[in-house]
Amino acid sequence: MSDKIEQVKIEANAELEKVTDEATLRELEIRYLGKKGTVASLMKFMRDIPNEEKPLFGKKVNDLKQELQHEFDTRGAVLRNKTLMAEVQDPFFDPTLPSMDEPVGNLHPLTVITEEIEAIFRTMGFVIPDYPEAESEFFNFEALNIPGDHPARDMQDTFWLKDGNLLRTHTSPGQIRTMQQLKPPYRAIFPGKVYRYEALDASHEHTFHQVEGLVVDKNVSVGNLIHSMKVLIEEIFQRKVNIRLRPGYFPFVEPGFELDMECSVCQGKGCSVCKRTGWVELLPCGLVHPNVLRAGGLDPDEWSGWAFGLGLSRLVMMKYEIDDIRHIMGGDLRFLDQFQ
Ligand code: FA5
């Protein structure tokens, strides 16, 4: 049997000597060392060998396998080097050409701002729960004090699902879910994607991002709300930002406000993003309506709260001076590469 092993070794080495290219070498390697190759098939002789010689035979086959593998690797390195030298000596090879740049990915601007906002609020003791994008009519509207015949439903045109549920039109359903799940007092923010059946323009998308904030405690005040909003905006922009507060109507807050910031695309002069007003509507907010507290299982005589719903996509536009919201989710790499 040892003769057979020796014979395979001699044949393999003789063939290896003649190989001049890497493809043939690979074929030969498979023929000798592959799963069904010559070396593996030596094992079939095992059954003809007396039991006491079997271990030695097995060892010899194994040694042969390792020896040949070494020969193939060495020959492979020699051939690869030869190919490389031939390429370098080619008159068309220019070693001074710059190498091809490997594309490097980067975080999407929405992700960057979301992480910044989460970090700011975490330092103020806020938790960040997650809630479903496909919601029931109850959580998206009814529990937020918007019954079926309420005109406010027209403010948020809805994508309905076949099963009677809907794609959440805002992050506010998270308020009710938080109230039902956590024990007050608490502070929470919930960033997320929302959907509206909208006519699209430079500042309106059908799929956009908001961050909802909710604080439930005893004796919560409007002053506390405004202070937190100012901290948030100035932390994000890392500069003084001009803001204005107007009364705003949302059925789930009372009183309600609209917080606008000066348009940073045109520095307040007027452009298509701010519809020539110089201001961008960024952040509606207010004190949580007693009916909403009740829907969340809280007694409005004991607990009070404030909430806001920040337009995250619009915030990204203001921070990076983007003149059309449709770029944000458009997926164009030329746009996204600018945020390296
Ligand atoms: C709401 O969605 C309320 N849920 C916000 C709220 C929460 C109010 C808590 C009070 C208390 P509104 O529809 O205005 O409100 O949207 C909030 C913000 O989302 C807007 O200020 C704006 O920045 C952004 N937004 C609204 N519609 C669009 C759209 N189509 N495309 C991009 N951003 C939008």
Side-chain angles (χ1 to χ4, degrees):
M1 286 306 156
S2 295
D3 292 353
K4 280 206 166 42
I5 295 176
E6 195 56 30
Q7 192 186 337
V8 170
K9 185 171 158 182
I10 293 168
E11 277 172 19
N13 278 320
E15 288 202 68
L16 254 172
E17 283 282 301
K18 288 187 235 147
V19 176
T20 53
D21 65 279
E22 289 183 82
T24 317
L25 182 74
R26 180 83 192 116
E27 272 172 28
L28 200 63
E29 187 176 348
I30 293 170
R31 184 139 60 77
Y32 276 96
L33 296 176
K35 262 193 191 148
K36 294 182 182 158
T38 314
V39 173
S41 64
L42 281 172
M43 288 311 242
K44 72 174 182 265
F45 295 112
M46 193 67 105
R47 59 173 176 257
D48 307 327
I49 296 178
N51 274 351
E52 63 279 11
E53 288 176 28
K54 280 187 181 16
L56 183 63
F57 179 75
K59 181 177 179 312
K60 282 188 173 172
V61 173
N62 223 8
D63 288 349
L64 172 68
K65 192 175 171 194
Q66 280 179 13
E67 202 177 311
L68 286 184
Q69 187 63 62
H70 177 71
E71 295 296 331
F72 274 101
D73 290 349
T74 312
R75 187 90 187 124
V78 171
L79 291 177
R80 240 185 326 281
N81 206 21
K82 216 169 110 190
T83 315
L84 211 67
M85 289 313 284
E87 278 174 13
V88 171
Q89 277 152 15
D90 185 322
F92 292 103
F93 176 74
D94 180 356
T96 63
L97 278 179
S99 64
M100 291 218 289
D101 279 343
E102 286 292 320
V104 179
N106 53 287
L107 290 180
H108 191 284
L110 273 168
T111 309
V112 174
I113 290 215
T114 305
E115 285 180 357
E116 274 175 30
I117 291 176
E118 289 182 357
I120 294 166
F121 278 100
R122 270 205 189 94
T123 62
M124 299 195 274
F126 281 68
V127 292
I128 310 174
D130 194 19
Y131 300 113
E133 285 180 34
E135 262 299 2
S136 70
E137 207 177 338
F138 173 78
F139 282 104
N140 197 81
F141 290 124
E142 277 157 28
L144 289 163
N145 205 23
I146 318 175
D149 54 355
H150 198 289
R153 287 219 182 180
D154 299 339
M155 285 155 62
Q156 299 182 3
D157 283 329
T158 309
F159 286 114
W160 292 94
L161 301 175
K162 284 200 180 115
D163 62 5
N165 287 324
L166 48 87
L167 293 180
R168 65 180 177 201
T169 57
H170 52 171
T171 41
S172 300
Q175 288 190 33
I176 308 298
R177 290 190 176 272
T178 306
M179 289 175 198
Q180 292 186 351
Q181 281 164 25
L182 302 184
K183 206 168 157 300
Y186 46 74
R187 300 143 181 240
I189 56 160
F190 7 101
K193 208 188 276 175
V194 301
Y195 306 84
R196 287 186 199 174
Y197 185 54
E198 289 258 24
L200 307 187
D201 61 28
S203 57
H204 289 84
E205 257 287 20
H206 50 72
T207 304
F208 57 99
H209 290 71
Q210 292 184 336
V211 183
E212 191 86 4
L214 174 69
V215 167
V216 173
D217 209 329
K218 301 202 165 159
N219 306 319
V220 158
S221 75
V222 173
N224 179 233
L225 162 67
I226 293 169
H227 171 74
S228 301
M229 296 305 95
K230 228 178 140 42
V231 169
L232 168 70
I233 293 170
E234 297 195 344
E235 280 284 331
I236 289 174
F237 285 85
Q238 291 290 305
R239 63 174 165 88
K240 282 246 162 285
V241 173
N242 285 333
I243 57 171
R244 70 176 188 188
L245 207 62
R246 313 175 267 127
Y249 172 69
F250 300 91
F252 32 96
V253 285
E254 181 57 40
F257 306 98
E258 282 283 6
L259 188 148
D260 300 336
M261 73 169 276
E262 193 179 79
C263 180
S264 54
V265 174
C266 61
Q267 276 76 44
K269 291 190 196 78
C271 67
S272 62
V273 173
C274 59
K275 302 214 171 71
R276 320 273 157 219
T277 62
W279 294 92
V280 174
E281 174 192 306
L282 193 65
L283 198 153
C285 50
L287 296 189
V288 180
H289 195 289
N291 287 349
V292 175
L293 290 167
R294 269 186 216 106
L298 299 174
D299 177 358
D301 291 330
E302 187 182 359
W303 298 103
S304 52
W306 57 254
F308 67 87
L310 172 73
L312 200 57
S313 308
R314 298 231 179 117
L315 188 70
V316 168
M317 293 176 80
M318 291 300 103
K319 173 140 177 158
Y320 296 109
E321 297 171 21
I322 297 166
D323 62 2
D324 194 316
I325 195 169
R326 289 163 289 196
H327 291 312
I328 295 178
M329 297 290 280
D332 187 333
L333 288 179
R334 289 168 305 178
F335 168 76
L336 294 171
D337 279 347
Q338 298 174 61
F339 300 94
Q340 290 283 352

